[in-house]
Amino acid sequence: ELLPLLPVLEQYKADSRLIVHLKDEVRNLSGILLAIQEEMGAYDYEELQQRVLLLEARLHACLQKLGKKIPLKIVSFGSNLKKNNNGFRVWYMDGYYKGRRVLEFRSLTDFVSGQNFVQHLLPHPWAGTGHVVFNGSLYYNKFQSNVAVRYHFRSRSVLVQRSLAGAGYNNTFPYSWGGFSDIDFMVDESGLWAVYTTNQNAGNIVVSRLDPQTLEVLRSWDTGYPKRSAGESFMICGVLYVTNSHLAGAKIYFAYRTDTSSYEYTDIPFHNQYSHISMLDYNPRERVLYTWNNGHQVVYNVTLFHVVDTAGEL
């Protein structure tokens, strides 16, 4: 009667050995995880970021000494890095919606090292990545609205806010990558601009020149280019340049001149090393483009030149 139980007993012994083996494996894994936790716990999130940024800066300095001409890459875990158009300060804004914290660094070096910064807490959260700093104020889109906000850093207060009449918001007319990028503020040699679209313009990009003091729309242009088909855009000398994608293989595909209210299609390759651009801004003081590219900040030098016709006119 007991003979049929022998296989059951053998199976029980095998199961017991397997359980003991699994316990040993779990014990080893727990030790490994504890070691990793202790190692990672030695640095907080911001310190890890600062160490990475410092290494990137040192790498760039070495490459410059070797004579390599490459874009400056700054690793970033947020989505916005704004350089002042009238100075050397740097503003860092983490995330593309509902954020309120802005870190102000005295220089790019301080930003890389993560030192000497002042924190500003905005009274209203932002939407998108199309913010810009101009003459000591931050211009941004108030979350879940088409309201433009001017926040003054020195007084730590909102000086003015104004609705952009009819402008889409909350991912109604974003760039192709989304991210609440309905309204994009820009600064070039001629002042402050807003790029957005409305139902009245059938989703085509509208360029508006803004009064930086009052945010009043001074003049608007309908470019005829569908905003949802645009990867990103930027203004240089009153000309809006639009990329046809935010992904790899992007080109500067369209240019709209506000001085003549005319446009042309272009075919300028735009090197997209990390394959996902979600911020693209021009700094007229330094004549560079700042991009946030899939977790990396990349700076592109811009060369401006004039075309002289046969009559000798610019």
Side-chain angles (χ1 to χ4, degrees), residues 190-207:
S190 52
L192 178 66
W193 304 83
V195 170
Y196 55 96
T197 190
T198 67
N199 286 319
Q200 290 77 11
N201 291 89
N204 293 328
I205 290 177
V206 175
V207 182

Side-chain angles (χ1 to χ4, degrees), residues 24-44:
D24 291 338
E25 290 292 327
V26 170
R27 190 177 296 109
N28 292 337
L29 181 59
S30 298
I32 294 173
L33 291 175
L34 182 61
I36 293 175
Q37 184 178 9
E38 291 177 352
E39 183 177 353
M40 293 298 294
Y43 308 103
D44 60 19

Side-chain angles (χ1 to χ4, degrees), residues 56-57 59-61 63-64 67-75 108 270-274 277 288-291 293 296-302:
E56 285 287 341
L59 174 62
H60 178 65
L63 289 172
Q64 281 187 323
K68 303 291 185 181
K69 293 183 178 180
I70 61 170
L72 169 62
K73 181 185 71 174
I74 305 171
V75 174
L108 184 59
F270 189 81
H271 182 52
N272 188 348
Q273 183 176 357
Y274 303 102
I277 291 176
V288 296
L289 290 173
Y290 292 96
T291 71
N293 194 337
H296 304 81
Q297 286 286 344
V298 183
V299 181
Y300 297 86
N301 290 321
V302 176

Side-chain angles (χ1 to χ4, degrees), residues 20-294:
V20 172
H21 177 71
L22 289 176
K23 284 184 177 179
D24 291 338
E25 290 292 327
V26 170
R27 190 177 296 109
N28 292 337
L29 181 59
S30 298
I32 294 173
L33 291 175
L34 182 61
I36 293 175
Q37 184 178 9
E38 291 177 352
E39 183 177 353
M40 293 298 294
Y43 308 103
D44 60 19
Y45 178 82
E46 292 185 357
E47 186 175 355
L48 285 173
Q49 180 181 357
Q50 293 165 13
R51 289 166 64 89
V52 172
L53 293 175
L54 183 59
L55 289 173
E56 285 287 341
R58 291 172 61 186
L59 174 62
H60 178 65
C62 291
L63 289 172
Q64 281 187 323
K65 291 180 181 179
L66 293 173
K68 303 291 185 181
K69 293 183 178 180
I70 61 170
L72 169 62
K73 181 185 71 174
I74 305 171
V75 174
S76 170
F77 298 93
S79 60
N80 293 287
L81 179 146
K82 303 295 180 185
K83 289 294 294 296
N84 190 1
N85 290 292
N86 298 94
F88 292 97
R89 293 179 183 267
V90 179
W91 285 266
Y92 173 78
M93 302 166 70
D94 187 13
Y96 58 84
Y97 75 109
K98 296 176 67 174
R100 294 177 58 197
R101 191 177 71 146
V102 182
L103 300 185
E104 178 183 353
F105 294 87
R106 294 183 178 181
S107 66
L108 184 59
T109 302
D110 287 338
F111 171 74
V112 170
S113 63
Q115 299 176 347
N116 299 324
F117 66 86
V118 176
Q119 177 174 287
H120 300 271
L121 190 63
L122 303 177
H124 310 296
W126 68 70
T129 60
H131 332 298
V132 70
V133 175
F134 182 52
N135 288 340
S137 293
L138 170 69
Y139 298 85
Y140 72 96
N141 176 209
K142 185 178 178 180
F143 182 59
Q144 291 187 327
S145 75
N146 59 8
V147 173
V149 179
R150 179 191 174 197
Y151 176 83
H152 190 245
F153 285 113
R154 179 171 296 179
S155 65
R156 293 178 176 267
S157 62
V158 171
L159 297 185
V160 64
Q161 49 184 321
R162 183 186 295 270
S163 175
L164 294 173
Y169 63 93
N170 206 29
N171 274 332
T172 302
F173 295 114
Y175 290 120
S176 59
W177 68 275
F180 299 88
S181 56
D182 302 76
I183 299 174
D184 193 356
F185 296 99
M186 306 175 184
V187 170
D188 72 352
E189 292 79 1
S190 52
L192 178 66
W193 304 83
V195 170
Y196 55 96
T197 190
T198 67
N199 286 319
Q200 290 77 11
N201 291 89
N204 293 328
I205 290 177
V206 175
V207 182
S208 291
R209 179 81 181 276
L210 303 182
D211 184 320
Q213 301 297 321
T214 65
L215 294 178
E216 179 185 0
V217 174
L218 303 177
R219 184 179 175 184
S220 294
W221 293 261
D222 182 356
T223 67
Y225 193 93
K227 190 166 184 289
R228 283 184 170 273
S229 298
E232 270 287 346
S233 65
F234 56 93
M235 295 286 299
I236 298 180
C237 296
V239 180
L240 178 73
Y241 296 92
V242 181
T243 67
N244 62 348
S245 174
H246 64 286
L247 302 173
K251 294 182 178 182
I252 300 176
Y253 182 71
F254 180 85
Y256 187 90
R257 299 183 63 90
T258 58
D259 58 346
T260 60
S261 300
S262 61
Y263 67 88
E264 64 176 319
Y265 288 94
T266 59
D267 188 17
I268 305 173
F270 189 81
H271 182 52
N272 188 348
Q273 183 176 357
Y274 303 102
S275 303
H276 193 287
I277 291 176
S278 56
M279 186 201 78
L280 181 56
D281 272 319
Y282 173 66
N283 187 313
R285 187 183 187 280
E286 300 179 6
R287 291 186 173 178
V288 296
L289 290 173
Y290 292 96
T291 71
W292 189 81
N293 194 337
N294 199 14

